[in-house]
Amino acid sequence: MRIGFLGAGKMAEAILASMVKTGLVNAWDVMACDKAADRRALMEKQYGVIVTEDAAETVKQCNVLVLAVKPQDLDALLAGVRDRFTAKHLLVSIAAGKTLAAVKKAAGARPRVVRVMPNLALMVQEGMSVYCAAKNAKAADRALVAQIFGGAGAALELPEKHFDAVTALSGSGPAFIAYAAQAMIEGAVALKLPKDAARLLAEQTLVGTGIYLQNTGRDIAEFIQAVASPKGTTAAGLAVLEKSAVKAAYAKTLAAAAARSAELSRA
Ligand SMILES: NC(=O)c1ccc[n+]([C@@H]2O[C@H](COP(=O)([O-])OP(=O)(O)OC[C@H]3O[C@@H](n4cnc5c(N)ncnc54)[C@H](OP(=O)(O)O)[C@@H]3O)[C@@H](O)[C@H]2O)c1
């Protein structure tokens, strides 16, 4: 396999870093194509990959191509190389909001296409990536994508019809969870906890709760009840969350993000 990154920005770098770390590719089998000289220099120095600003050459040399430019740059990029795609090419698009149909329309019918929605945590190798494949994709393509993105967190295949909800939950989710953490830090500072300590406590509580739930697979409602002993401190706090309709606010938050995702996909 020769893998090319069309667009070698932050996300491409995170994917590459994980692939090198997990031994999925050798640096000399990777081409990083970017129009920005500083990105090419960084990719070459840091990872020892072949760098170029020539997208057509990348397409010629590589059979797997990760499309990692901003969504608004994707059509122009693909228009310039579409004639060079053959049936040997697998396109892995991470462009947010670009549907399989939109990528196929811009890339032509020959290449196989998989769409991936990763999230920001990919950059610390703890991403949540959801993927869906076009009809012409092979089982081996899906397996490869699962391996690439699973190496930098978790990867799950879902039908494309779920992508707006996915975008809301795991795509935008890091901001929604950070918002809750920020609110808890501000609440603790109001209780005179030093800000640095409040941040550390909130972060570690977030990480620890996530790992605990993931490792135990424990039912979340049952977990909450277990933390909240009757008439205890957690119960006192939970009563305020219930009264403040926080669950309803989160439901509306996700619905708004999903609706915006649908809107952007149609644009
Ligand atoms: N960041 C996230 O959390 C996140 C989450 C999910 C999905 N994504 C998706 O990931 C993709 C990449 O995001 P990113 O944050 O890594 O973007 P980024 O850091 O801006 O990287 C994109 C790079 O591609 C270059 N580029 C643009 N057009 C090009 C072309 N025709 N040929 C070669 N290089 C070109 C850009 O150069 P210039 O800067 O000079 O234009 C830039 O260096 C986006 O489509 C985004 O929707 C990102």
Side-chain angles (χ1 to χ4, degrees):
M1 167 178 73
R2 273 206 123 191
I3 181 155
F5 290 88
L6 293 173
K10 297 179 290 293
M11 291 303 267
E13 184 181 351
I15 297 165
L16 172 63
S18 145
M19 289 178 82
V20 170
K21 198 175 85 187
T22 57
L24 200 54
V25 284
N26 295 308
W28 54 86
D29 284 325
V30 178
M31 277 183 94
C33 169
D34 203 292
K35 58 183 191 180
D38 59 329
R39 291 306 304 172
R40 293 198 301 276
L42 183 143
M43 293 298 256
E44 187 172 34
K45 185 160 176 257
Q46 191 92 8
Y47 303 96
V49 300
I50 304 158
V51 294
T52 178
E53 55 182 325
D54 187 343
E57 187 58 25
T58 312
V59 171
K60 190 172 155 203
Q61 301 265 348
C62 302
N63 56 328
V64 177
L65 293 155
V66 179
L67 308 179
V69 295
K70 294 271 188 230
Q72 63 270 25
D73 293 329
L74 188 63
D75 284 356
L77 168 74
L78 291 175
V81 291
R82 109 180 229 141
D83 291 346
R84 296 173 187 267
F85 288 134
T86 68
K88 76 163 190 175
H89 287 113
L90 167 65
L91 308 185
V92 180
S93 169
I94 63 165
K98 287 283 181 185
T99 61
L100 286 170
V103 176
K104 284 175 77 75
K105 190 173 167 208
R110 287 186 294 265
R112 306 179 315 276
V113 183
V114 176
R115 174 185 176 192
V116 187
M117 180 66 210
N119 70 6
L120 191 78
L122 196 79
M123 295 189 194
V124 290
Q125 313 298 310
E126 285 293 346
M128 179 68 239
S129 300
V130 179
Y131 63 96
C132 61
K135 281 205 184 75
N136 65 356
K138 300 173 185 167
D141 299 333
R142 296 183 160 86
L144 177 66
V145 169
Q147 218 179 352
I148 294 173
F149 289 88
L156 177 72
E157 182 171 11
L158 283 175
E160 193 172 31
K161 67 177 181 192
H162 294 307
F163 265 51
D164 293 328
V166 164
T167 302
L169 181 53
S170 57
S172 303
F176 303 150
I177 293 196
Y179 187 89
Q182 186 189 39
M184 287 175 70
I185 292 168
E186 287 171 10
V189 169
L191 296 172
K192 305 273 185 272
L193 202 62
K195 198 168 179 193
D196 287 355
R199 177 167 172 145
L200 174 66
L201 268 62
E203 274 171 7
Q204 186 57 28
T205 304
L206 200 69
V207 171
T209 308
I211 293 175
Y212 179 89
L213 288 174
Q214 197 168 52
N215 286 359
T216 60
R218 204 166 165 186
D219 178 77
I220 294 188
E222 190 245 323
F223 167 74
I224 293 171
Q225 285 316 311
V227 182
S229 50
K231 299 196 173 151
T233 58
T234 313
L238 284 170
V240 176
L241 286 176
E242 286 293 334
K243 210 171 147 205
S244 311
V246 171
K247 268 191 185 167
Y250 264 98
K252 278 194 244 169
T253 301
L254 263 75
R260 181 69 184 134
S261 164
E263 218 170 76
L264 290 173
S265 299
R266 283 192 298 267

